């Protein structure tokens, strides 16, 4: 059952100022600003992937610096998502999303003008905090202005933005680095115009109610959550690369993370305005969609992140071609998200798509577990389309199911919890499955070359152009077999996500927007506080 909403002490004195009703045209205009912001957040993570070797070389950085430039943004983004989500339940959502965009602009400009690795890493943290806000708030704002029954009509836009940002990012980064009169600094500058455009569009088009009430920010809980999550993310990101999975560093980071999060749970259970309301997990739908989101993150991000490496090493493609080869999966995701969204809005039924998505995603992971160094692109395309279709049916509809089943006052918390656990699952999956890939590559190379030749394979990616033909074939085979094993290990996580969604109870989609429901909830709370009890 949905957790009960407890009226604030000042609920009667805390009205929601009604915002002008938003027409379909107004919604589309506001969504253009939201999608520009989402594009910026995705671009920040993908545009530097092909540029990092040049960036680190120009700034005289080390391999450790390379890792931290990537990790800093991931940590900041993932750890701050629940903070932004809670703030959106307390403060002006429009102001918050503009603040997150502004932080992203500042971080991007500092990164672009950086002349040291240390400053670049700091700027990536600022970028990550801004991206965390965009990740959490874009879907919260959509739920505030669009009824759940109508959300499906717009979900295809999310798929399109995700597709363009994911595919275009690495290509844009490669072009900028290779263009002498631009250079790698433009990998950071290029997102600034989109962010500024999003700020202006949201200011002109987004009309949300203003909630006036006394609030108390749980600063202690926020610090404990961010610190605990950061410790665990550092562990899953660096374990297997910088230190062994079974080591004193692992013990220190895991114990620290667990202790901090246990302390956070204690604090969250006692404060009046917790960052993550623990009562929200009494809602069966929220709990199950959270579990499913974590598992989808492990399976999808943990598996697909290694496809580009497989295309380049096992199939011998260039980075640009490898980026283009991932298009079938992105197109499958975009098409299934759009079609499923339209049908859900028309019929009001959504659970069937979650079940179908779980089945198809598991099948896609299983099919990709059969690939090798001799797989044809045609066959790979079919397998990637299957995986993309499954992911497209699951990701956005898990959010829809949760948003439909919580009070409007908890929309931000519920949405950010799902985003947070999906990102956490992605980080865990990437690290753990990366260790699986590295171990299998080492094992395969040792079979052919012996222990001395294969021992260093997990610490660096081989340059195929420097290897003789027989050795190159062995390396290509090793990465083909290892990538297939990654998907084989990831498939059970996709199946567990299917099991989780089977237990979600389908409920009719609400036909009122989040801000309309919030006004009703506040009016009911105000009435209850003034009605004498007998």
């Amino acid at each position: 059952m949905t957790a009960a909403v407890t009226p604030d002490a000042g609920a009667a004195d805390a009205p929601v100022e009604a915002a002008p009703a938003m027409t379909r045209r107004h919604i589309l205009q506001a969504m253009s600003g939201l999608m520009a912001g989402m594009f910026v957040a995705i671009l920040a993570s993908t545009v530097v992937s092909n540029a990092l070797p040049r960036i680190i070389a120009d700034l005289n950085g080390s391999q450790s610096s390379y890792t931290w430039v990537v990790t800093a943004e991931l940590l900041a983004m993932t750890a701050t998502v629940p903070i932004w989500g809670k703030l959106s339940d307390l403060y002006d959502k429009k102001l918050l999303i503009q603040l997150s965009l502004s932080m992203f602009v500042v971080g991007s400009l500092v990164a672009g003008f950086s002349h040291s690795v240390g400053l670049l890493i700091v700027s990536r943290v600022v970028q990550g905090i801004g991206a965390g806000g965009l990740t959490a708030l874009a879907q919260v704002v959509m739920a505030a202005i669009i009824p759940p029954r109508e959300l499906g009509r717009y979900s295809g836009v999310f798929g399109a933005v995700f597709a363009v940002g994911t595919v275009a990012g690495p290509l844009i980064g490669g072009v900028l680095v290779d263009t002498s009169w631009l250079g790698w600094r433009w990998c950071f500058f290029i997102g600034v115009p989109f962010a500024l455009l999003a700020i202006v569009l949201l200011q002109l088009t987004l009309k949300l109610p203003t909630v006036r009430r006394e609030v108390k920010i749980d600063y202690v809980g926020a610090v404990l959550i961010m610190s605990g999550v950061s410790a665990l993310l550092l562990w899953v990101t660096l374990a297997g690369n910088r230190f062994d999975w079974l080591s004193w560093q692992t013990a220190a980071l895991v114990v620290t993370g667990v202790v901090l999060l246990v302390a956070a749970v204690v604090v969250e259970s006692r404060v009046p305005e917790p960052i993550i309301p623990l009562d929200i997990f009494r809602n069966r739908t929220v709990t199950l969609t959270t579990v499913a989101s974590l598992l989808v993150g492990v399976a999808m991000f943990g598996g697909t992140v290694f496809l580009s490496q497989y295309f380049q090493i096992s199939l011998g493609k260039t980075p640009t071609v490898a980026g283009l080869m991932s298009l079938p999966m992105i197109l499958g995701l975009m098409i299934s998200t759009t079609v499923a969204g339209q049908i859900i809005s028309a019929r009001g039924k959504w659970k069937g798509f979650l079940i179908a998505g779980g089945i198809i995603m598991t099948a896609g992971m299983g099919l990709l577990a059969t690939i090798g160094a001799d797989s044809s692109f045609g066959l790979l395309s079919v397998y990637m389309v299957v995986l993309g279709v499954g992911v497209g049916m699951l990701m956005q509809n898990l959010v829809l199911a949760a948003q439909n089943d919580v009070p409007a006052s908890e929309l931000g918390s519920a949405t950010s919890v799902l985003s947070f656990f999906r990102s956490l699952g992605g980080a865990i999956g990437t690290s753990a499955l990366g260790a699986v890939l590295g171990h299998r590559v080492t094992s395969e190379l040792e079979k052919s070359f012996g222990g001395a030749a294969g021992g260093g394979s997990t610490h660096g990616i081989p340059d195929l152009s420097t290897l003789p033909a027989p050795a190159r074939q062995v390396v290509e085979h090793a990465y083909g077999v290892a990538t297939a094993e990654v998907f084989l290990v990831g498939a059970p996580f996709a199946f567990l996500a299917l099991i989780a969604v089977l237990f979600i109870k389908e409920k009719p989609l609400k036909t009122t927007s989040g801000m309309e429901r919030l006004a009703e909830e506040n009016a009911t709370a105000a009435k209850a506080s003034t009605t004498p009890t007998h």
Side-chain angles (χ1 to χ4, degrees), residues 313-314 373 441 445 449 462 464 467 470-481:
I313 297 179
S314 200
V441 167
L445 295 183
F449 297 135
L464 296 184
L467 298 177
R472 186 169 64 246
Q473 290 176 0
V474 170
V475 172
E476 289 172 350
H477 172 74
Y479 273 87
V481 170

Side-chain angles (χ1 to χ4, degrees), residues 159-160 162-164 166-167 296 299-308 311 322-338 360-361 364-365 368 371 377-393 395 487:
F162 180 85
V164 173
T166 303
V167 175
V296 168
M300 187 191 76
F301 293 106
T304 57
V305 73
F306 300 107
L307 274 176
S308 179
F311 294 146
L324 292 172
M325 287 178 73
S326 63
L327 272 174
M329 185 173 65
I330 301 301
L331 290 174
L333 185 151
M334 183 173 65
I335 292 170
S336 69
T337 301
T338 304
I360 296 171
M361 179 179 172
M365 297 288 287
L368 284 165
I371 63 177
F377 179 61
L379 199 60
L380 285 169
S381 297
V382 173
Y383 295 170
M384 286 190 290
V385 166
V386 172
L387 180 59
V389 167
V391 171
M393 288 184 178
M395 267 204 318
F487 285 102

Side-chain angles (χ1 to χ4, degrees), residues 201-214:
L201 286 172
L202 290 170
Q203 180 61 35
L204 295 175
T205 62
L206 187 59
K207 310 296 182 185
L208 290 175
T210 301
V211 181
R212 294 178 178 173
R213 64 187 181 105
E214 292 291 329

